[in-house]
Amino acid sequence: MTGSGFSTRESDQITLAVPHGTASRRTLWGRDELLDELLAAVRNEGHKQDAGAVHVVQGLGGVGKTSVAVSVAHRLQRETDQVWWIGAQDASRFTGGLTALARQLGVPDEEIAVGRLADQLWRRLSALEEPWLLVVDNADDARLLDGPGRLALGTGLVRPHRSPRGLVLVTSRDGQPGTWGDHAVLHRLTPLGDGDGADVLLDLAGPSAGSREEAAELARRLGGLPLALNTVGRYLAAVGQRPARFRDAGETATFAEFRASLDDGGAFPHPGTATALAGIWRMSLDLLTERGHRCVRPLLEVLANFADAPVPLILADPAVLGEDEAFEGVSGAEIWAALQALAGLGLVDLAAANGVDTVALHPLVRDAHRNPGWYTLNVRLLDKAAESDETGLPEDVERWPLWSALTPHAVHALTFEEGSDDDRVFPNIWTAAMLTARSLHAQGQLSQARKLLDELVPRLGGTLGETHSDTLTAHHNLAVVLHDQGHHDRARAIYEDILTTRRVTLGEHHPGTLTTHNNFASVLQDQGHHDQARAIYEDILTTQRDTLGEHHPSTLTTHHNLASVLDDQGQYDRARAIYEDILDIERDTLGEHHPSTLTTHLSLAVVLHHQGHHDLAAVEVAAVLSARRRVLGPEHPDTLSVQRWLDIISAARDKP
């Protein structure tokens, strides 16, 4: 650095005073632990390994970094007058503040003029024995802190010190460890929880705006972002102080009204809130763009256009993104770097949930960057993900965490209306939606599967026609869910309609026709029509043995169903022999703990119970229960079904 760029008179005009305002007078909710940790560093009560470190309070714009710094500064001003505040929004303000501080500490002008500002300043700060605090606020572009050296190497304009009772506190949106170096201690400032958020709203707006529960719900909708909470709280307080007759149309006066406005897609009633937040986040994106991350803006908008849930990284597929003009020529490495850069500024969070890598957006960041123009690309990303090798089959237990992460986004895309073009987009979403419904059904979430299929079936019928194969498949899957829910009459009617159509379009012996006929017979069986169901199973089984073979999964399913109706008819010996044969085959081909194997194992145990072998049946059912708990979880309907059978068999065994 060849010179500070400031004359003596100019630097003397720069204030190093801590900013005053409401932040210094109000309770800083939810930050006590961090404040105590930072104050301990000044009072020489902290970890010895952190002595002299640069402490960086980092987080999303609007999360309250400056408020934390103000609170620390005002508390320390009760103990010392050596508290200095330097803004780092731009180079002139920052270097001017350093120059002013250096002069205040007695660094001669000639030392500053020859470019020794940083060395002399930090030498004098390190020599201070009384408590002191230097805040460098809004250092979002950390490159300004390099100077002639390197911030990350400890040779920048901000660097570690050797004072026993000093604290260097930097606030920044940049939370990437590589920016600050090993000598820095990063404090990630996260949004407030619902309870603390409710306290902020009640503190500002007062109880007349609603209950604590309503305040907590609004705080959750605002994502716990302190800037939003403070602005909304002040807005509600201002509106609440006016008599109702002087309120304009659309003004909200309560927590519940404000939340309803946001949920209805309305903008912030207080225009200053939206402007402030949008401006903060726009500057963050501008900064990343300047750093060479050319796709951060469209990438954030694509992510924001998904559902309000963590987005699996499989939905940020570089190959699919690259098909769009906005991402032309952008590599996978660049997309990953952009995600990391967005996370570094707190605009997104990269995390693993249930073993699935995801990217999560703050609710207000999502609201601010949602753009219906990306809907078509969102759907293409979903379609590619749903049919990828990574997601596999929806019935595969090991893939359920990924399917669970994809589900809210498939539902959101299917129900999305604004900005969509059904003729062009809908064909790309129905496959993902049907696979998602299959996954929900496999996981035992029958109500959610039915709701999704209830939405999908009529749209498919209206788009493709009622007799199209995809419409029939979706309708068939809906009947399966209804059957499992116990709605036998409706399921039977659907199967009958599909069976009539498939016999005409596919033929009597087509696998699709046989599957529907098999399911239709299963409903008849559950309705007590055992003879009719048995006759259908026997006819289907003969056809499948001839066309598919004895060991084909469809053949085994029909054979299993036949054994089930034989069990219902009291032909226990024959049913038991069939189950034993099927179980041997499934153990060899599928494995001991495959869902089909466990189903057959349970059926065999039930037959043993019906034959009076209660002790043996109880042992077998207990083995199935242990496996299903381990594979499916204790609350899965299939697990609960096994538990009910164990209770029944145990009760029978205990009878005298």
Side-chain angles (χ1 to χ4, degrees), residues 278-360:
I280 289 171
W281 296 330
R282 183 176 59 252
M283 287 188 293
S284 294
L285 293 177
D286 288 344
L287 175 61
L288 294 181
T289 302
E290 286 179 22
R291 293 180 177 178
H293 299 289
R294 51 179 172 157
C295 67
V296 286
R297 201 177 303 274
L299 181 59
L300 185 60
E301 291 183 357
V302 169
L303 294 173
N305 219 42
F306 284 113
D308 186 8
V311 180
L313 286 185
I314 191 175
L315 291 177
D317 188 338
V320 180
L321 289 172
E323 296 171 1
D324 191 275
E325 182 180 355
F327 295 90
E328 185 176 359
V330 177
S331 67
E334 288 179 282
I335 291 172
W336 175 243
L339 286 169
Q340 290 184 304
L342 288 168
L345 292 193
L347 289 166
V348 305
D349 283 318
L350 294 171
N354 296 320
V356 178
D357 291 328
T358 64
V359 53

Side-chain angles (χ1 to χ4, degrees), residues 48 66 84 106 108 120 129-130 133 157 162 285 306 321 325 328 346 397 407 436 454 501 530 540 562 568 585 632:
K48 290 184 178 180
T66 297
W84 306 287
Q120 290 296 329
E129 296 182 358
E130 296 300 317
L133 168 68
L157 296 176
R162 297 185 301 278
L285 293 177
F306 284 113
L321 289 172
E325 182 180 355
E328 185 176 359
V397 176
T407 294
T436 299
D454 278 336
T501 302
H530 297 147
I540 294 173
L562 176 59
D568 288 342
I585 295 170
L632 302 180

Side-chain angles (χ1 to χ4, degrees), residues 227 268 270-282:
L227 176 61
F268 275 96
H270 190 307
T273 306
T275 301
L277 291 172
I280 289 171
W281 296 330
R282 183 176 59 252

Side-chain angles (χ1 to χ4, degrees), residues 42-58:
V42 183
R43 295 166 180 158
N44 202 19
E45 300 168 351
H47 300 293
K48 290 184 178 180
Q49 63 266 30
D50 295 339
V54 175
H55 288 257
V56 182
V57 177
Q58 178 272 331

Side-chain angles (χ1 to χ4, degrees), residues 14-25:
I14 293 178
T15 178
L16 301 175
V18 177
H20 288 266
T22 57
S24 63
R25 297 191 295 273

Side-chain angles (χ1 to χ4, degrees), residues 499 508-509 511 513-521 533-548 554-555 558-559 561:
L499 186 58
E508 182 73 39
H509 295 158
T513 308
L514 294 177
T515 297
T516 302
H517 205 183
N518 208 330
N519 285 14
F520 171 66
R534 175 178 171 179
I536 294 173
Y537 291 144
E538 288 174 339
D539 286 345
I540 294 173
L541 185 59
T542 298
T543 300
Q544 289 176 330
R545 280 171 167 163
D546 291 340
T547 58
L548 302 176
S554 296
T555 307
T558 304
H559 210 181
N561 289 347

Side-chain angles (χ1 to χ4, degrees), residues 198-255:
D199 288 333
V200 173
L201 290 171
L202 287 166
D203 186 33
L204 293 165
S208 62
S211 67
R212 179 174 177 79
E213 291 73 19
E214 290 169 331
E217 290 175 358
L218 177 56
R220 185 181 308 115
R221 179 61 181 83
L222 295 171
L225 196 66
L227 176 61
L229 292 167
N230 278 277
T231 308
V232 170
R234 287 194 296 270
Y235 164 79
L236 292 175
V239 174
Q241 290 169 1
R242 274 185 277 132
R245 67 173 57 89
F246 296 108
R247 296 174 189 167
D248 297 329
E251 284 191 315
T252 57
T254 68
F255 302 133

Side-chain angles (χ1 to χ4, degrees), residues 537-603:
Y537 291 144
E538 288 174 339
D539 286 345
I540 294 173
L541 185 59
T542 298
T543 300
Q544 289 176 330
R545 280 171 167 163
D546 291 340
T547 58
L548 302 176
E550 186 73 38
H551 294 176
H552 189 279
S554 296
T555 307
L556 293 176
T557 297
T558 304
H559 210 181
H560 185 286
N561 289 347
L562 176 59
S564 175
V565 77
L566 290 170
D567 185 15
D568 288 342
Q569 292 179 319
Q571 298 189 37
Y572 303 137
D573 291 344
R574 187 177 173 194
R576 175 177 175 178
I578 293 173
Y579 283 139
E580 287 175 338
D581 288 343
I582 295 174
L583 187 57
D584 287 341
I585 295 170
E586 289 180 334
R587 280 172 168 165
D588 288 341
T589 59
L590 301 177
E592 183 73 39
H593 295 151
H594 188 278
S596 295
T597 309
L598 293 176
T599 297
T600 304
H601 196 174
L602 175 63
S603 299

